[in-house]
Amino acid sequence: MPRVIIATPDAPSSPLYAQGVKASGQAFVSGTVGIDPATGNIAGKTIQEQTRKALKNCEAILKAGGATLDDVVDVGVLLHDPGDFAGFNEEWERWFPSHPPARYAAKLGAVIPGVLVSIRMTASVG
């Protein structure tokens, strides 16, 4: 299967990287933040609000690539402030209440003004 770029207007995008890529039966979602693609604004000031929007954005990219959150096998989470981990998990549990995917969390290295979380995913497709 050749590499296929995943693109959707329902999630933030950049000319510097693909929102996602499909290859070898998997969908790879780039690090995605809690920005509303309609307005370009950050979805809120709390970790819960930004996590919710980042996950919704990831979900839109997965859908454009033929996958769902149920297909996600691996997630990487980067937090601006590791102290936000409990608040992140509070929202995370709403999206993955049982049988969650493998996951890691680390401190976000790049400082992006106002951004509290970045989430990347890998999902099985088809």
Side-chain angles (χ1 to χ4, degrees):
M1 174 179 174
R3 181 179 90 125
V4 176
I5 301 298
I6 301 170
T8 178
D10 298 327
S13 63
S14 170
L16 301 175
Y17 56 87
Q19 290 171 309
V21 174
K22 273 177 43 172
S24 302
Q26 294 183 310
F28 302 89
V29 176
S30 291
T32 303
V33 298
I35 291 178
D36 183 333
T39 65
N41 295 326
I42 294 174
K45 294 185 181 196
T46 70
I47 189 66
Q48 292 89 343
E49 291 169 309
Q50 289 192 29
T51 298
R52 184 176 312 117
K53 187 61 179 169
L55 288 167
K56 185 140 187 83
N57 290 337
C58 287
E59 184 176 45
I61 296 166
L62 288 169
K63 181 178 178 185
T68 70
L69 289 173
D70 290 336
D71 300 314
V72 174
V73 296
D74 180 55
V75 176
V77 177
L78 299 176
L79 297 170
H80 172 74
D81 178 0
D84 283 339
F85 193 60
F88 168 82
N89 277 333
E90 180 183 309
E91 184 62 30
W92 172 267
E93 288 180 308
R94 292 185 178 120
W95 291 74
F96 296 99
S98 63
H99 308 293
R103 184 184 88 179
Y104 72 84
K107 183 167 174 33
L108 181 63
V111 176
I112 306 166
V115 171
L116 302 178
V117 64
S118 176
I119 302 171
R120 57 146 298 279
M121 295 182 169
T122 304
S124 179
V125 180

